[in-house]
Amino acid sequence: MEKWVHGETHEFIDWLDTDGNVINASDGGIIYAEGKYHWYGQALRDLPYDHDGRRNGGVGITGVVMYESEDLLHWRYEGVILACSDDPESELYAPMRFERPKIIYNEKTKQYVLWCHYIRYPGEHGVAAGQGEAGVAVCDKVNGSYRWLGTTRPIDDLGAVRDCTLYKDQDGSAYFIYDRDISTVLEEMNRCLYIVKLSEDYCSWTTEYRRIESAYHREAPAIVYKDGYYYMITSGLTGWNYNQAKYFRSRELLGEWEDMGDPCIEDTEHTTFCTQTTAIFRVEGREDCFIHMAERHNHQHSFLHCSYIWLPIHFGEDHTMSISYLKEWTL
Ligand code: GAL
């Protein structure tokens, strides 16, 4: 790719890797390591959306995959870094889901730590054990084979884990931000975003946490820090269908988060430009260049042809943030 091409807000445009294959790294993120950007996400399938759950392309049979690049445009496929299993006894037996995987590096243990929203075979959302957990895996190389450590539910077993992200603070402490669901049946949707401080090795959680009251019924969180404020972009709860984004800001991660409304400019249909937030990353060597990664999920036709929509974040002097749509651009 020579530039990031998004097209019109209703269009689906494939991005290709350096072998000419469609990039298939859903709802993951980007980590800069060993002089390169590494883009990872869950590999989805070329199946139509359908309600029987079995032919749903949003359920994985491959695992988490990774691509590398020096310029954020040319992506070389690095392979599967966390694989599904074909052993029925395994927790990773496919089809299953590693949704919204996120990776951060721990300087003390020299390990890359991955957290995700884990859903056991056959990959259906639910409230039972195994149907909404945090999954954790580690690796001593950014693009190696991650070792599965297992699943957990932060705070207590009552709260199922849905969409999630990780955030590493300037002091090296790390946080798991997730949509905690205390419903007794899935349809109840008694869900709210929580932020939980992780242990020093980032592999488990501590008892320090906060319920983000203002982010009741929000998901797909992504956090960025700029000039004294943390900003968190989120989506509403409409499954794979896009909806209006909303962001929150706070001076402290475990502090009170203020509802700041929709960051999207001229988004006439209020659909986050027909996307849902994935993650935010900073461009190396440019202190002020943050990119909002989002995804236009193609659940009506083929999950293999979801579109990646990467847009620059603009920060205002009054500590606000905004995002405008670009049909195509480069740095
Ligand atoms: C979305 C969520 C995705 C996935 C999807 C499945 O709301 O953000 O990660 O779980 O629902 O329906």
Side-chain angles (χ1 to χ4, degrees), residues 8 44 136 149 153 196 223 236 264 295:
E8 303 292 337
L44 301 180
V136 189
L149 298 183
R153 284 188 178 186
V196 183
I223 294 187
C264 301
E295 204 158 313

Side-chain angles (χ1 to χ4, degrees), residues 27 97 99-100 117 125 163 219-220 236 238-240 276 297:
D27 292 325
R97 304 198 204 199
E99 285 201 327
R100 298 190 174 268
H117 167 205
H125 288 272
D163 280 3
E219 65 174 5
T238 55
W240 296 113
Q276 193 180 26
H297 293 119

Side-chain angles (χ1 to χ4, degrees), residues 196-300:
V196 183
K197 189 171 185 185
L198 296 182
S199 57
E200 280 207 13
D201 63 5
Y202 303 167
C203 293
S204 58
W205 42 273
T206 71
T207 52
E208 275 181 76
Y209 72 88
R210 182 172 186 120
R211 175 184 156 100
I212 306 175
E213 297 290 344
S214 49
Y216 184 68
H217 270 193
R218 305 299 300 174
E219 65 174 5
I223 294 187
V224 61
Y225 175 82
K226 180 87 169 67
D227 298 337
Y229 280 90
Y230 298 92
Y231 298 83
M232 177 173 66
I233 304 190
T234 66
S235 83
L237 305 184
T238 55
W240 296 113
N241 295 314
Y242 24 75
N243 55 57
Q244 187 169 22
K246 193 187 252 196
Y247 79 102
F248 301 84
R249 74 172 183 198
S250 177
R251 283 192 170 275
E252 286 167 61
L253 285 165
L254 294 176
E256 196 162 326
W257 289 79
E258 189 183 347
D259 183 341
M260 300 295 291
D262 188 347
C264 301
I265 306 289
E266 289 177 21
D267 177 26
T268 47
E269 293 176 11
H270 308 300
T271 57
T272 320
F273 312 115
C274 299
T275 72
Q276 193 180 26
T277 294
T278 302
I280 297 168
F281 70 91
R282 189 174 67 79
V283 176
E284 283 306 305
R286 301 203 187 192
E287 266 330 293
D288 286 336
C289 187
F290 293 92
I291 295 182
H292 176 253
M293 301 170 74
E295 204 158 313
R296 187 168 294 152
H297 293 119
N298 198 345
H299 57 281
Q300 306 288 358

Side-chain angles (χ1 to χ4, degrees), residues 61-63 83-96 98:
I61 55 166
T62 303
C84 295
S85 168
D86 51 17
D87 172 5
E89 298 299 308
S90 165
E91 233 180 347
L92 307 185
Y93 184 51
M96 51 81 62
F98 295 112

